[in-house]
Amino acid sequence: MSIVKNLPDAAIPDGGAPHWHVKDAQRWLDARVPAAFAPVTVGWILAPLVLLSLVLLALSTSDTPEHGTSWSGYAPAVLLVSLPA
C-alpha cells in the first residue's frame, strides 16, 4: 500500500512551485511563537494545579471547616483559571 497521493494534472500549477532558500526557511522558523505559549507547555504547567485542586476537593469533608482555610473554593478557582488553556 502506498501513502503517496497522486494529484490530478489539473491541480498542479504550470511551471511548478518555487523552492525556498535555506535562509528564507530559517527566517520563517525563527518567526514562530515562543514555546511558552504552546498548548502542551501550558497544559503541563497547569496539570499539577488541577490535580491538586481535585485532591483537595476529594479530601474536604465538610463545606465549612471549624477553622483554617476553606479548600472547597480552591478547585473551582483553579479550574476556572485553567479553562482558557
Side-chain angles (χ1 to χ4, degrees):
M1 183 166 117
S2 175
I3 60 170
V4 176
K5 295 182 180 181
N6 295 316
L7 296 173
D9 292 335
I12 300 173
D14 293 334
H19 66 281
W20 280 31
H21 296 287
V22 174
K23 68 177 187 172
D24 293 335
Q26 188 64 39
R27 186 176 55 121
W28 273 90
L29 184 63
D30 293 339
R32 64 190 167 107
V33 176
F37 296 114
V40 174
T41 305
V42 175
W44 281 111
I45 291 170
L46 291 176
L49 292 175
V50 171
L51 288 175
L52 177 66
S53 68
L54 294 175
V55 167
L56 289 175
L57 187 62
L59 294 177
S60 163
T61 56
S62 68
D63 290 339
T64 56
E66 293 88 24
H67 56 80
T69 305
S70 173
W71 291 106
S72 62
Y74 182 75
V78 169
L79 294 174
L80 181 67
V81 168
S82 62
L83 185 63

